[in-house]
Structure formats: structure tokens, C-alpha cells
Amino acid sequence: MTVEAFMSRHIAEFDPPVRGDPITGERYYAKRWADAEWDKVWKKVWHIGGMAGDLIDAGDFLTHNLGKESVVMLKQNDGSVRAFFNACLHRGYRLAWTEVGGAPQLVCGYHGWRYDPDGTLAHVQDPDDFPGGNPCGKNRLTEVACEIWGGFVWYNMDKDAAPLREWLGETVHDRLSQWQMEKMTRVYAVKSDVPCNWKIVRDNFNESYHLPTLHPQISTSINDGLSDCEFAIFADVGHNMMRMPGLQPSARYPTHQVLDLQLAEALEYWELDPKEFEGNAMAARDAIAAQKRKLGAQKGYAHYEGMGDTEIVDYFHFTLWPNITFTMWPDGVQLLRSEPHPTDPERCIFDHWFMAHQIGDTGLVIGPNGATPYEAVDCETIVFGEKSLGIVADQDLSVAIGQQLGLHSQGFRGGILPNQEKRVQFFHEKLNDVCEIHD
Ligand code: FES
Ligand SMILES: [Fe+2]
């Protein structure tokens, strides 16, 4: 089956009906929604805890704070990774405080209790002073489900959760696997507390209707023309996908035949003559795709071998239920994630990471902010508004505060969505069902 036929099959098959539930403003600020989401969503889904490549020696750990909860993922003596709630069994002090760390034992900063990497309590002060005898060896930190996939450490707080593979679903798992994320390195990672509900960020990444307004600069090299994009909803698992042709100007504009500098440079890089595409910029994509197939391996793009014809030129946005967007570029992946704030439904924690394949020995990769050194980075926490969260992400978030304000208005009546925003509608209807709130 050709890639195009495969995609067409997906579009027909993955276009479930929606009911048209109103998407009222309350869900973006009310505590009852935040409480329901904590119990019915966040405690039940798979989360990315960090980069598997950061765990090398036994005792190395990752910490992920989610809402008021925190989970620590520890490298084991046998090389596997296990995850535990990040709270001391003695009197509850949080054990690990850095996103990445490591020591032979996890030591509590309050009374000095120590835990082995498998969560077993290994040392306490005055062990004979306990009514039941020495508690060491008899107590373990509370474990949560943990898996490694795509270069990430994933965890799920629900001990009865289906395995990650099942949660991803076969189609999404197989399609995402093409990009070989496990071979990538995280070269960019920023985090910020953002003044909007987490779903405002979700809605934004579940539609491309905002591109002409918020991201006009990408219209010269990414085609968001409605009939050229593909959308799919994987109803059984709640995830969705969009594909936009890359290396092609937007079909929305009459000027689309003009070859811009970025596209001309891409043609030259792939040993094509830009002059031949003057007045016919739409043809650049297919020509470059053919060159990538021919020259990819020798130019350092070994990963193209496992990828489909559209994947090596286009942009795919996979949004995993409920809150992870992977924007797949031919040579890298953006993670765009919003998580609940510990106490305020009108704030969220936003993450923007970029993982990339190494291209030859250039030492640089092209990321969301242009040329970026190819080296693993820790996540930088920044104050919203004081520093960039990435050029395009800044544009996306520039409307967040205004939308949060507008959604409080009595005049907002629950949204009027075009068909192309069906993924937004589907997301909220799934949320209504999962949270069991239908008023
Ligand atoms: S709370 Fe951890 S040792 Fe006391
Ligand atoms: Fe955007």
C-alpha cells in the first residue's frame, strides 16, 4: 500500500462523529473541573517523566512534579527503571528535589532515612527505637507503573493501567516509531508556569486554524492549505494527528508560487537548482523528497531509511490524550505539553522540548529557534514573559491570557467551531465523558 493510500485509509477510518457538546468557559477556571480532571484524568494516564538517556548508573533518578504530586524514577542495579511516589515513608518529606540526579541511595533530607534504588528502606536513625522493630528491609516506597519508550521514561499512577503500548494504540505506536525517537537527543528544553488553564494550550495544538493569524512567517515553507492537510482522530485511544506538507508554501496565498529564501536554501542543500523552481515553488517538496531518498544516507540522514515518503518532508502533529503534542519534523521532534498547576486552574505548567537526530558530524541541528548545538541539555525553568519559550510557542501563548479572560465572560456561549477544529470538539467530548460532567 502506498503511503498516500495508507493516509487516505486513515482519514476515512479515523473521522468519528461528534455530538456538538457546548465547550463552555467554566471548564477553564472552575475548581470542580480541576478536581474531576485530577481524579479521572491525571491519575489514570501515562506521563513522560523525563529522558531515559539521563539514567546511566544505578541510583540515577528523574523527578517529575505533576500538580501536587511528584514521582521519582530510579535506575535499577539490573539496568531497568522503576518509579515511585516521591514521598518519604517516615513523615512524608519529598525525597528527590532535582529533575535529574543520582546517588547510590535516595536520602531523605529531614531525618536521614535512606532508600535503595528499588525503593526498599535501607537505613534509619535509631533502628531499635520502633515499636515493630527495625523497619528497614520491611518497607518500600509506593511504586507506580513505569516503562521506557521513544527515549522517554513514562509512568502511570494507576496501578491497574493498561500497558503504555495499549494506551498509545497500534496505529499511533507504529506511526510514531518511524521517527526513531529513541535515537534522538534532547537539545532544547524549557518550562514555565503560564497564566492559562492547561486546556487552552491543548485546544491550540488541536487545531491549525490559527496558523495564518499567529504564525504568518511559516506560510512560505509549510502548507496549511485546508485541502492539503490531513486530520485523523483515533477514537479508541483519544489521540489525534494532523499532517501539513512541508517544504511547500501555503496554498492559502496567491503568492504561493514565490520561492522564499528558506526554500531556495533547502533546494540548494539537496543539490537542486532553485532557478528551476521560480514560479513553481509548490513543486519543491516532491523534488526534495526524491533527493532525500537518493542522497539522505550519504549526507548523514540515516534515519530516513525507516521513514515513509511523507514523513521525510512533512510536519506531523500527534496529540496524545490528554496533554502531549509531538510535532514531528523529518529530523527531530518537538514536545509541547501542558500540565495542571498544583493549585490554580487558571494556570498551567508548559513544557517545550526538542529532540533531534545527529546529522553527520556537524555538531549542529536545526531546532525551533534555528541552529542549535547537538548536545543533551537539562530543562531550564523560566519566568513566563521574561524569556522566550521558543519563537512559535511564544506566538501560540501570546493569546493565552486574553482567551483565559474572555472565557469568563457571560457573553461567551460555548464556542462555534469549523469542521477543521473537530479535534478540539472531540477532545472536550472525551473530557466530558471521562470526567462525567455533562451539564
Ligand atoms: S520525613 Fe523522611 S526521614 Fe523523616
Ligand atoms: Fe501554533
Side-chain angles (χ1 to χ4, degrees):
M1 189 186 297
T2 65
V3 171
E4 280 68 25
F6 182 72
M7 290 304 302
S8 304
R9 188 173 70 86
H10 273 212
I11 298 315
E13 194 176 330
F14 296 105
D15 186 24
V18 288
R19 300 183 295 254
D21 296 2
I23 306 169
T24 53
E26 189 214 2
R27 67 185 54 222
Y28 296 93
Y29 53 80
K31 186 171 182 306
R32 73 165 182 149
W33 271 97
D35 289 346
E37 288 163 359
W38 180 255
D39 285 335
K40 307 276 179 55
V41 178
W42 304 116
K43 285 165 75 174
K44 306 283 183 190
V45 299
W46 284 93
H47 301 281
I48 290 179
M51 304 303 297
D54 283 333
L55 302 180
I56 298 161
D57 301 318
D60 286 356
F61 67 79
L62 299 168
T63 306
H64 183 231
N65 300 335
L66 178 77
K68 290 182 181 174
E69 193 53 270
S70 181
V71 169
V72 59
M73 292 138 274
L74 281 147
K75 186 86 164 182
Q76 304 295 297
N77 294 324
D78 67 1
S80 65
V81 179
R82 294 169 89 159
F84 305 91
F85 286 111
N86 187 15
C88 181
L89 296 175
H90 176 220
R91 290 201 0 245
Y93 190 73
R94 187 165 280 186
L95 288 166
W97 287 87
T98 54
E99 286 195 39
V100 182
Q105 289 180 315
L106 201 52
V107 182
C108 181
Y110 194 172
H111 310 88
W113 284 25
R114 290 184 214 152
Y115 298 86
D116 285 335
D118 71 352
T120 304
L121 180 61
H123 169 87
V124 299
Q125 180 178 304
D126 302 332
D128 299 329
D129 189 35
F130 290 81
N134 185 348
C136 293
K138 297 178 210 152
N139 289 284
R140 276 183 77 227
L141 295 173
T142 308
E143 189 160 6
V144 303
C146 184
E147 293 193 34
I148 310 284
W149 184 75
F152 306 106
V153 180
W154 302 72
Y155 71 86
N156 192 318
M157 292 185 266
D158 178 6
K159 61 181 182 350
D160 299 321
L164 178 66
R165 174 80 184 255
E166 210 175 298
W167 176 80
L168 285 169
E170 188 188 343
T171 307
V172 172
H173 171 273
D174 291 354
R175 291 195 67 82
L176 282 177
S177 295
Q178 289 183 76
W179 279 268
Q180 305 147 63
M181 291 192 285
E182 65 284 355
K183 295 182 188 160
M184 295 181 181
T185 295
R186 187 176 72 178
V187 298
Y188 175 74
V190 290
K191 175 191 286 293
S192 189
D193 179 337
V194 172
C196 69
N197 182 271
W198 69 277
K199 296 186 291 294
I200 283 182
V201 179
R202 283 302 94 218
D203 294 349
N204 179 73
F205 291 124
N206 275 333
E207 51 93 352
S208 53
Y209 194 51
H210 67 275
L211 264 58
T213 319
L214 290 191
H215 313 303
Q217 80 281 10
I218 65 175
S219 67
T220 52
S221 59
I222 297 180
N223 183 0
D224 69 325
L226 196 49
S227 60
D228 294 321
C229 295
E230 298 181 23
F231 308 97
I233 293 172
F234 309 101
D236 53 338
V237 282
H239 315 320
N240 69 59
M241 187 215 75
M242 171 181 68
R243 177 174 75 88
M244 292 191 297
L247 298 170
Q248 190 169 71
S250 172
R252 289 181 184 277
Y253 303 99
T255 54
H256 69 266
Q257 295 298 300
V258 176
L259 197 63
D260 90 316
L261 184 63
Q262 194 185 344
L263 217 41
E265 284 175 355
L267 285 160
E268 270 175 0
Y269 179 85
W270 288 102
E271 302 178 18
L272 294 161
D273 184 358
K275 285 197 198 72
E276 290 178 17
F277 296 86
E278 285 296 349
N280 190 21
M282 298 302 271
R285 171 183 173 273
D286 289 353
I288 293 174
Q291 288 294 88
K292 283 186 169 189
R293 277 277 173 255
K294 202 160 85 184
L295 306 174
Q298 74 193 62
K299 283 173 90 75
Y301 297 78
H303 56 282
Y304 289 168
E305 184 65 33
M307 295 168 66
D309 292 341
T310 53
E311 283 79 0
I312 62 171
V313 279
D314 294 341
Y315 288 82
F316 287 74
H317 305 261
F318 284 85
T319 290
L320 306 186
W321 167 259
N323 70 322
I324 294 170
T325 294
F326 285 131
T327 297
M328 322 300 292
W329 308 20
D331 307 319
V333 175
Q334 274 171 288
L335 172 134
L336 297 150
R337 174 172 73 175
S338 56
E339 296 183 324
H341 185 274
T343 56
D344 187 350
E346 302 205 50
R347 306 189 72 85
C348 69
I349 309 303
F350 176 77
D351 277 295
H352 183 187
W353 302 352
F354 187 68
M355 284 63 62
H357 283 291
Q358 185 162 22
I359 308 301
D361 55 5
T362 58
L364 287 173
V365 288
I366 303 301
N369 297 323
T372 305
Y374 193 79
E375 56 194 25
V377 295
D378 290 339
C379 189
E380 180 188 7
T381 299
I382 65 177
V383 175
F384 182 70
E386 288 190 1
K387 207 170 165 185
S388 175
L389 283 160
I391 298 162
V392 174
D394 287 344
Q395 293 172 327
D396 285 317
L397 293 171
S398 69
V399 296
I401 301 173
Q403 194 180 3
Q404 186 71 42
L405 289 172
L407 288 166
H408 278 279
S409 173
Q410 300 165 66
F412 178 69
R413 300 196 300 270
I416 301 169
L417 273 52
N419 291 327
Q420 64 187 285
E421 291 186 314
K422 191 174 191 180
R423 290 169 297 149
V424 176
Q425 185 70 31
F426 183 87
F427 167 89
H428 285 283
E429 294 186 1
K430 181 172 171 73
L431 190 71
N432 292 348
D433 293 346
V434 170
C435 290
E436 297 173 358
I437 300 178
H438 287 99
D439 53 29

